[in-house]
Amino acid sequence: MDLTQYAAWLNDVFGLFDTFFLGLHHELAVSYGDYLTPIANALGAAGHMGIMFGVLGVLLLIFRKTRMAGAAILLAVGIGGFVSEFVLEDMIARPRPYLMSDTFRSWWEFVGSPDAHGYSFPSGHVAGATAAMIALAYAARKWWVSLLGVLMVIAMAISRMYLQVHYPSDVLAGFILGFFAGIIGYAIIQGIWRLLGQHPDQIAEARARASRHAAEVAIPRGSDVSYAAVGMPQNGQQDDYWQQMAAPMPQQPAGPAPAPARYAEHAVPRTIQTATGTTVAVPPVPVQASTSDDTQLIDMGNASNDQKPTSDSGFQMAEEYYRD
């Protein structure tokens, strides 16, 4: 049989390697053929032309959370299948093992002479399985998904050698091709998803920002609300603003809550003289007035004489001052 220079080179370089591992798989068929042959045939049928992985990709496309993984699988399998079936196989033109040796043919017949079309190098089944599992592992980012992907690729590789339709070197080439096809397919889909603003990282980041903002503006139940902000800066510096704010104080069983350090100098008891000449003790409760874009603290001790209220209650004086 005439061989291309590429096929002849592969047979010369990997001859002993291929014969050794095909012999091991024949021993598996001799010892456990009743169990392994149906499984290998099922994997071969499911992986033909990437059917199994194409169906998986379509199913994942249905759901929003897995849509990126489905698109990555389909593109990766398409890249791997195109390079394998339409570029390398025709260019290398390496015949199947059972066509090159009577020994390999007898081993192939022993497992039921499974049908195989086209050339041998590289293994399209392994390339498709590897491409799909690499893309899925990158998209899912879960250790158990990666583990299942590794097991799937190993099972597909063993099945192709067990059925004697591929050399071990064909399987190795299919793995390398599928690995790069999976990375390229995922990278392309990842770029598209980022352009559309639908990448999982972007969605998680947006949710984290929304959750952090909600935690900042919410006042916990039982907190002392006398120090809560009544105005929010409008200049986009909310983070700095809230860092300067004192943490909400827990509810005290009795008496006024202690003032935070920021208000300590304003929270000491003060005594002022009213316009009528009476002396009024101002309770140590800071009073805040709000504008549209900031929070102000009224220091009753430093108020001018004409601004001093005449009420007998510190809270009422603050209220009158704020209204004026």
Side-chain angles (χ1 to χ4, degrees):
M1 178 181 294
D2 295 333
L3 300 176
T4 64
Q5 58 179 344
Y6 306 110
W9 181 83
L10 288 171
N11 289 343
D12 291 340
V13 173
F14 296 99
L16 292 176
F17 173 80
D18 290 338
T19 302
F20 174 76
F21 281 99
L22 285 179
L24 288 180
H25 286 83
H26 174 65
E27 294 299 326
L28 286 176
V30 172
S31 303
Y32 307 102
D34 293 340
Y35 307 101
L36 296 180
T37 300
I39 297 175
N41 285 324
L43 286 173
H48 180 65
M49 300 297 292
I51 293 176
M52 176 173 61
F53 309 109
V55 171
L56 175 62
V58 171
L59 291 177
L60 293 179
L61 277 176
I62 298 175
F63 305 99
R64 182 180 61 82
K65 291 185 178 180
T66 59
R67 192 163 296 155
M68 178 181 176
I73 289 175
L74 292 177
L75 182 58
V77 172
I79 294 173
F82 175 80
V83 175
S84 173
E85 300 288 337
F86 299 102
V87 178
L88 293 180
E89 282 195 10
D90 292 335
M91 182 177 68
I92 304 299
R94 189 184 193 185
R96 301 279 179 176
Y98 56 83
L99 298 176
M100 296 297 299
S101 167
D102 292 338
T103 300
F104 294 157
R105 187 173 187 85
S106 65
W107 294 349
W108 173 65
E109 292 173 347
F110 183 83
V111 294
S113 304
D115 192 18
H117 301 284
Y119 294 108
S120 181
F121 184 93
S123 172
H125 283 67
V126 176
T130 305
M133 295 300 102
I134 289 293
L136 179 60
Y138 270 105
R141 302 183 183 185
K142 298 182 182 298
W143 68 268
W144 59 269
V145 174
S146 301
L147 178 60
L148 290 178
V150 170
L151 295 178
M152 170 57 69
V153 172
I154 292 175
M156 186 64 73
I158 291 176
S159 71
R160 304 314 287 164
M161 293 181 288
Y162 176 89
L163 296 175
Q164 304 292 324
V165 294
H166 278 293
Y167 293 102
S169 53
D170 300 336
V171 171
L172 180 61
F175 171 77
I176 295 173
L177 172 61
F179 179 82
F180 286 104
I183 292 178
I184 293 172
Y186 170 76
I188 294 174
I189 295 300
Q190 181 189 42
I192 295 174
W193 248 244
R194 286 190 182 278
L195 289 176
L196 297 177
Q198 298 178 348
H199 192 271
D201 289 345
Q202 294 172 298
I203 297 175
E205 183 179 353
R207 289 177 178 174
R209 287 199 304 267
S211 177
R212 184 166 61 248
H213 178 70
E216 289 170 350
V217 299
I219 300 175
R221 184 177 181 180
S223 301
D224 177 17
V225 298
S226 62
Y227 305 111
V230 293
M232 173 66 72
Q234 304 298 322
N235 55 4
Q237 302 298 326
Q238 287 87 349
D239 291 340
D240 295 337
Y241 179 79
W242 285 108
Q243 289 174 3
Q244 296 173 7
M245 288 292 295
M249 300 298 294
Q251 188 174 13
Q252 301 297 324
R262 176 183 172 187
Y263 303 104
E265 61 176 336
H266 303 286
V268 296
R270 295 179 182 274
T271 302
I272 63 174
Q273 187 174 5
T274 65
T276 60
T278 59
T279 301
V280 178
V282 180
V285 178
V287 183
Q288 300 179 24
S290 174
T291 62
S292 61
D293 61 349
D294 62 358
T295 302
Q296 298 177 354
L297 185 67
I298 301 173
D299 186 353
M300 298 299 295
N302 294 329
S304 60
N305 291 331
D306 57 345
Q307 293 177 330
K308 291 180 180 179
T310 59
S311 302
D312 294 333
S313 168
F315 286 103
Q316 292 175 356
M317 289 188 294
E319 222 174 7
E320 294 174 6
Y321 180 85
Y322 179 76
R323 286 199 301 268
D324 295 338

